């Protein structure tokens, strides 16, 4: 038997399952609660209200939901309001689940479930089992989802008329793909009876959608269409944002064989998302829209949606990184508070002990002395732990900066040339009337673009290896002339093609103690640039000489030379990618980094006549620290 819902609907179902109750206008209720917060005098009411805002907010913005829940948890802990604290933890778990942090969410849900069971709160216990079921559906574990929903049904028998049971019946239908049509109708009818009794319009509309999707998946389209259309109209009339999104998604899937019509439903869905701030849903909805655009053959729409989806994914990733940072900070604060509470409790016990035994002078003095030593040692340990945490936080910040830099490099220096190359290939496909010279020009341009991309890719791999700490400085004695001969030989084919002559003027016997591979990376980069920017039939000269305690190596070309602005920014790399010399910026930036690590310097200048000179200098015999040789390079 097929699944009740296709995987593309899982996101909306997860949101449906995790919500306890729904108002007729979610946005309006959130705004109303937010306006009332400054006027709340009672701390318990304040905690309940911000917990409610966090629960309503989780579909629109899990980041804000987390902030409200953490605030509620802090206030509840301060006033010792146990239920408010547990409710806040529940909202935190939901926010983590929606962000894809399933393991953390499961841990929190487990503790929250135990707390609700201990308090005898059957309603929230049932709701927690539905949260577990929803999370299992989200990660694709259908069997566990059914087990949790069955547990919710079992516990809910003692509260059969409570509105929470209407959700249990509906969720059970969604989670259990083995149910027959009669069983689905039976459970939905029971859910509807409770919904009618408590006048829960959103539940009744949602159940109609469930039944419509049920028939759609099983191929009963004549039964499905009236249910899906009427439920969508009812959701619009009632201004139920979530059900509108869910209904539009179902109508798009129903019309998948008509991609243009399906795309219109998805565009209406996107309009609701953008106007009501459902930022977390943008990327998956854009993905579905892109699928329908591809099916319809609308290339312009496909390109537009691709760009929007990339932007949405980048924004979503940045949001996730901030979300994780907020949660880690919150978790550390909670751990610190627990340590503080334990410390305070220990201090109180110590004071009681000291008071009780104050009459025994000798024993009392001994106990005081030992207690003092213990507290001092604990303080030192805590200080050491805080220092470790600070170092780890700094390391995480550096790792985040490195990831951002790598993403910027890849986005700027690979995507643009690849798109350009793809465009020219498609142009060749569509234009069959091109002359041979025009085709040859296109092929040469494509070849140059691919070669440039491969060079940047090699440079980026070197950077990634260094950033990940897998690149070591290995000092050895190298012959500069032999090193340059080896580097030149790697470009013989390109040199012959352009008729360029390379003259190695380096004298025999110039030796240096350095890292061979790092020097060869720099040599290949400088030769590649000189070859790239030298006109046909010209000459490239390579020179080296010893200048005091360093060796200077130069590569001279007869190209167009460099502007003052290019020279200033040549060896730098910006946050936008940094191709400062028509694609050479990345490799030149890495070259500078390598030379600096080897204790040298690198620079560029224009020749007196025509062309440019790229030079670098490294120590001939550097002072080598044995520990630094074996240590990894850290960016």
């Amino acid at each position: 038997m097929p699944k009740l819902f296709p995987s593309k609907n899982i996101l909306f179902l997860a949101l449906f399952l995790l919500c306890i109750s729904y108002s007729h206008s979610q946005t309006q209720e959130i705004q109303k609660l937010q306006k009332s917060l400054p006027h709340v005098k009672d701390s318990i009411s304040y905690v309940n209200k911000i917990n409610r805002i966090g629960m309503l907010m989780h579909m629109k913005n899990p980041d804000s939901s987390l902030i409200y829940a953490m605030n509620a948890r802090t206030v509840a802990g301060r006033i010792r309001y146990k239920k408010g604290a547990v409710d806040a933890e529940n909202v935190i778990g939901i926010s983590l689940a929606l962000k894809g942090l399933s393991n953390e969410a499961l841990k929190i849900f487990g503790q929250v479930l135990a707390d609700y069971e201990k308090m005898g709160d059957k309603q929230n216990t049932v709701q927690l089992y539905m949260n577990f079921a929803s999370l299992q559906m989200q990660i694709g574990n259908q069997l566990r989802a059914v087990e949790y929903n069955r547990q919710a049904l079992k516990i809910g028998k003692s509260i059969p008329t409570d509105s929470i049971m209407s959700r249990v019946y509906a969720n059970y239908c969604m989670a259990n793909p083995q149910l027959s049509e009669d069983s689905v109708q039976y459970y939905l009818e029971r859910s509807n009876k409770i919904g009618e009794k408590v006048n829960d319009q959103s539940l009744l509309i949602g159940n109609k959608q469930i039944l419509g999707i049920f028939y759609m998946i099983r191929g009963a389209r004549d039964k499905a269409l009236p249910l899906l259309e009427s439920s969508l109209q009812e959701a619009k009339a009632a201004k139920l944002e979530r059900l509108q999104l869910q209904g539009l998604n179902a109508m798009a899937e129903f019309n998948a064989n008509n991609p243009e019509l399906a795309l219109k439903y998805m565009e209406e869905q996107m309009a609701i998302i953008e106007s009501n701030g459902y930022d977390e849903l943008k990327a998956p909805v854009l993905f579905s829209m892109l699928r329908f655009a591809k099916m319809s053959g609308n290339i312009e729409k496909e390109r537009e949606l691709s760009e929007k989806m990339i932007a949405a994914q980048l924004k979503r990733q940045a949001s996730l990184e901030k979300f994780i940072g907020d949660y880690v900070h919150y978790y550390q604060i909670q751990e610190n508070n627990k340590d503080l509470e334990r410390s305070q409790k220990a201090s109180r016990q110590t004071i009681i002990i000291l008071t009780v035994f104050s009459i025994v002078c000798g024993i009392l003095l001994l106990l005081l002395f030992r207690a003092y030593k213990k507290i001092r040692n604990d303080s030192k340990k805590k200080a050491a732990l805080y220092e470790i945490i600070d170092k780890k936080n700094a390391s995480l910040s550096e790792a985040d900066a490195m990831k951002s830099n790598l993403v910027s490099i890849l986005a700027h220096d690979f995507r643009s040339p690849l798109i350009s190359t793809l465009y020219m290939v498609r142009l060749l496909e569509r234009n069959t009337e091109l002359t041979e010279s025009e085709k040859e020009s296109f092929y040469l341009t494509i070849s140059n673009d691919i070669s440039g991309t491969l060079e940047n890719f090699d440079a980026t791999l070197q950077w990634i290896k260094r950033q990940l700490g897998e690149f070591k400085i290995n000092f050895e004695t190298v012959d500069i002339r032999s090193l340059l001969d080896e580097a030149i030989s790697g470009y013989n084919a390109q040199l012959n093609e352009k008729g360029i002559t390379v003259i190695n003027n380096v004298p025999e016997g110039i030796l240096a103690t350095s890292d061979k591979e790092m020097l060869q990376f720099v040599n290949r980069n400088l030769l590649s640039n000189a070859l790239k920017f030298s006109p046909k039939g010209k000459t490239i000269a390579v020179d080296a000489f010893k200048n005091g305690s360093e060796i200077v190596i130069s590569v001279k070309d007869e190209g167009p030379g460099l502007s003052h602005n290019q020279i200033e920014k040549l060896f730098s790399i910006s946050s936008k990618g940094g191709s400062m010399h028509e694609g050479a910026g990345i490799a030149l930036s890495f070259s500078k980094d390598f030379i600096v690590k080897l204790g040298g310097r690198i620079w560029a200048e224009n020749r007196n006549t025509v062309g440019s000179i790229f030079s670098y200098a490294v120590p001939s015999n550097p002072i080598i620290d044995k520990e630094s040789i074996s240590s990894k390079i850290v960016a």
Side-chain angles (χ1 to χ4, degrees):
M1 184 178 290
K3 288 185 178 182
L4 182 57
F5 293 98
S7 60
K8 60 183 70 66
N9 290 308
I10 287 296
L11 176 62
F12 294 126
L13 297 179
L15 297 175
F16 177 83
L17 292 169
L18 288 168
C19 198
I20 299 177
S21 61
Y22 309 95
S23 64
H24 289 280
S25 178
Q26 183 188 26
T27 302
Q28 290 180 2
E29 184 176 357
I30 291 173
Q31 293 173 350
K32 183 179 178 181
L33 288 169
Q34 288 173 333
K35 289 180 180 179
S36 68
L37 284 178
H39 307 291
V40 177
K41 305 297 182 182
D42 178 57
S43 297
I44 291 179
S45 298
Y46 180 83
V47 170
N48 291 337
K49 281 182 181 291
I50 56 178
N51 269 331
R52 176 62 178 168
I53 294 173
M55 180 61 73
L56 290 170
M57 186 74 74
H58 77 266
M59 292 197 304
K60 297 170 71 68
N61 191 332
D63 302 72
S64 298
S65 180
L66 177 69
I67 298 299
Y68 277 104
M70 291 190 300
N71 188 13
R73 178 67 180 84
T74 301
V75 177
R78 188 167 62 244
I79 64 174
R80 299 186 182 279
Y81 177 30
K82 179 65 175 177
K83 186 179 184 306
V86 177
D87 290 343
E89 290 288 342
N90 184 26
V91 178
I92 290 172
I94 292 172
S95 301
L96 292 172
L98 291 174
K99 281 291 189 177
L101 304 176
S102 303
N103 290 333
E104 294 296 327
L106 284 172
K107 291 177 184 178
I108 291 178
F109 283 158
Q111 183 58 53
V112 172
L113 177 62
D115 290 334
Y116 279 141
E117 288 178 338
K118 187 176 180 180
M119 290 187 290
D121 189 339
K122 290 187 177 181
Q123 291 180 338
N124 278 317
T125 298
V126 170
Q127 186 259 331
L128 252 296
Y129 276 111
M130 287 196 293
N131 280 5
F132 274 114
S134 172
L135 191 53
Q136 294 300 326
M137 288 178 68
Q138 189 170 311
I139 63 180
N141 194 334
Q142 203 77 34
L143 293 177
R144 295 297 299 276
V146 173
E147 291 175 7
Y148 283 123
N149 271 305
R150 285 175 177 167
Q151 189 67 21
L153 282 171
K154 180 179 178 181
I155 297 173
K157 288 180 179 179
S158 60
I159 48 172
T161 59
D162 191 89
S163 60
I164 191 70
M165 284 306 298
S166 62
R167 310 291 170 186
V168 176
Y169 293 133
N171 291 348
Y172 185 65
C173 292
M174 289 188 290
N176 193 345
Q178 306 301 325
L179 288 178
S180 65
E181 180 178 349
D182 290 340
S183 297
V184 170
Q185 289 181 341
Y186 168 77
Y187 284 111
L188 290 181
E189 285 175 2
R190 296 193 67 175
S191 177
N192 286 336
K193 285 181 179 179
I194 300 175
E196 291 170 356
K197 184 176 181 180
V198 299
N199 194 26
D200 191 339
Q201 186 182 16
S202 65
L203 172 73
L204 300 175
I205 298 173
N207 286 348
K208 185 180 289 189
Q209 285 184 349
I210 292 171
L211 188 58
I213 297 174
F214 174 88
Y215 285 129
M216 179 180 71
I217 299 304
R218 283 158 177 73
R221 297 173 63 84
D222 56 334
K223 293 182 179 180
L225 184 58
L227 292 169
L228 295 177
E229 287 181 335
S230 62
S231 63
L232 178 56
Q233 293 305 317
E234 291 171 13
K236 289 181 178 179
K239 297 182 179 180
L240 295 170
E241 300 157 5
R242 174 190 58 79
L243 291 175
Q244 289 182 60
L245 293 173
Q246 197 161 272
L248 290 168
N249 191 72
M251 287 300 297
E253 293 301 326
F254 183 89
N255 292 282
N257 58 346
N258 186 351
E260 293 183 357
L261 179 58
L263 192 58
K264 289 182 179 179
Y265 282 112
M266 297 305 294
E267 287 173 345
E268 187 177 352
Q269 190 180 39
M270 179 57 70
I272 296 174
I273 287 171
E274 290 180 340
S275 62
N276 291 281
Y278 290 87
D279 293 339
E280 283 295 310
L281 303 184
K282 280 188 178 180
V285 171
L286 284 169
F287 181 84
S288 295
M289 293 175 70
L290 181 61
R291 176 166 60 94
F292 289 127
K294 287 181 179 178
M295 291 169 62
S296 66
N298 190 336
I299 297 175
E300 286 296 325
K301 190 68 174 179
E302 184 179 340
R303 184 181 296 112
E304 175 188 351
L305 290 172
S306 296
E307 293 175 355
K308 288 183 177 180
M309 190 174 71
I310 291 172
Q313 288 286 27
L314 291 174
K315 185 176 179 181
R316 196 178 186 187
Q317 179 64 28
S319 174
L320 178 59
E321 292 175 359
K322 182 180 182 301
F323 179 93
I324 293 174
D326 290 340
Y327 177 70
V328 170
H329 181 64
Y330 163 79
Y331 181 81
Q332 290 175 346
I333 290 175
Q334 292 301 311
E335 289 298 311
N336 292 341
N337 288 339
K338 289 178 182 178
D339 289 341
L340 182 60
E341 289 177 2
R342 285 192 290 266
S343 178
Q344 290 175 343
K345 184 177 180 181
S347 297
R348 287 194 297 269
Q349 291 175 347
T350 301
I351 292 172
I352 293 172
I353 292 172
L354 291 175
T355 303
V356 171
F357 292 96
S358 61
I359 58 174
V360 184
C361 297
I363 298 175
L364 178 61
L365 290 174
L366 179 61
L367 290 174
L368 286 172
F369 178 74
R370 291 180 177 178
Y372 169 75
K373 287 184 63 177
K374 182 178 182 300
I375 293 172
R376 186 177 63 180
N377 289 336
D378 287 345
S379 298
K380 290 181 179 179
K381 290 178 181 178
K382 288 178 182 178
L385 287 174
Y386 291 151
E387 185 178 353
I388 292 172
I389 291 173
D390 289 340
K391 290 181 179 178
K392 288 184 178 180
N393 286 340
S395 177
L396 287 173
S397 297
E398 290 179 1
D400 286 342
M402 183 267 286
K403 291 176 184 176
S404 298
N405 198 19
L406 290 179
V407 169
S408 298
I409 291 170
L410 293 173
H412 185 276
D413 290 280
F414 295 155
R415 186 172 180 273
S416 296
L418 288 176
I419 290 175
S420 175
T421 302
L422 180 60
Y423 174 79
M424 284 188 284
V425 170
R426 288 181 176 173
L427 195 60
L428 283 173
E429 280 182 338
R430 296 170 184 171
N431 291 272
T432 57
E433 299 179 357
L434 294 173
T435 65
E436 289 301 321
S437 62
E438 289 174 331
K439 288 181 180 179
E440 183 178 358
S441 176
F442 272 117
Y443 292 143
L444 180 60
T445 302
I446 292 171
S447 175
N448 290 338
D449 284 350
I450 293 173
S451 298
T453 302
L454 288 174
E455 289 175 11
N456 283 350
F457 185 69
D458 178 63
T460 304
L461 285 180
Q462 296 291 340
W463 173 263
I464 293 172
K465 287 174 67 178
R466 184 173 68 81
Q467 292 286 1
L468 297 179
E470 297 176 356
F471 206 103
K472 301 178 181 179
I473 299 178
N474 297 310
F475 285 100
E476 59 182 298
T477 301
V478 294
D479 185 286
I480 299 300
R481 181 178 177 84
S482 299
L483 207 63
L484 288 166
D485 282 338
E486 180 184 327
I488 294 168
S489 66
Y491 294 95
N492 285 337
Q494 295 96 314
L495 292 168
N496 292 334
E497 182 180 353
K498 293 185 70 173
I500 293 174
T501 303
V502 179
I503 302 174
N504 189 349
N505 295 323
V506 179
E508 297 284 353
I510 296 183
L511 304 178
T513 301
S514 192
D515 186 295
K516 177 182 177 181
E517 295 301 324
M518 294 174 76
L519 288 182
Q520 281 296 65
F521 175 82
V522 178
N523 291 335
R524 287 194 297 267
N525 180 27
L526 298 186
L527 286 168
S528 174
N529 286 341
L531 172 61
K532 183 185 301 182
F533 297 105
S534 290
K536 291 184 178 181
K538 296 296 182 178
T539 300
I540 297 172
V542 181
D543 296 285
F545 62 90
K546 191 168 183 180
N547 181 22
S549 62
E550 64 180 7
I551 295 174
V552 180
I553 297 94
S554 299
V555 177
K556 304 175 183 178
D557 62 55
E558 296 178 353
L562 300 165
S563 68
H564 178 71
N565 185 54
Q566 284 178 321
I567 292 176
E568 283 187 346
K569 300 181 179 179
L570 196 59
F571 297 100
S572 65
I573 183 165
S574 71
S575 62
K576 297 182 179 179
S579 294
M580 299 307 302
H581 193 219
E582 300 182 13
I586 296 174
L588 288 175
S589 173
F590 301 159
S591 297
K592 178 182 178 181
D593 196 38
F594 286 172
I595 293 300
V596 170
K597 290 294 182 183
L598 293 173
R601 54 197 176 91
I602 188 169
W603 67 95
E605 57 189 326
N606 286 317
R607 302 177 69 174
N608 293 331
T609 55
V610 64
S612 56
I613 306 173
F614 283 76
S615 306
Y616 68 89
V618 291
S620 57
N621 289 292
I623 299 175
I624 302 172
D625 183 352
K626 292 183 179 181
E627 292 184 359
S628 67
I629 294 176
S630 62
S631 64
K632 297 179 180 180
I633 302 176
V634 179

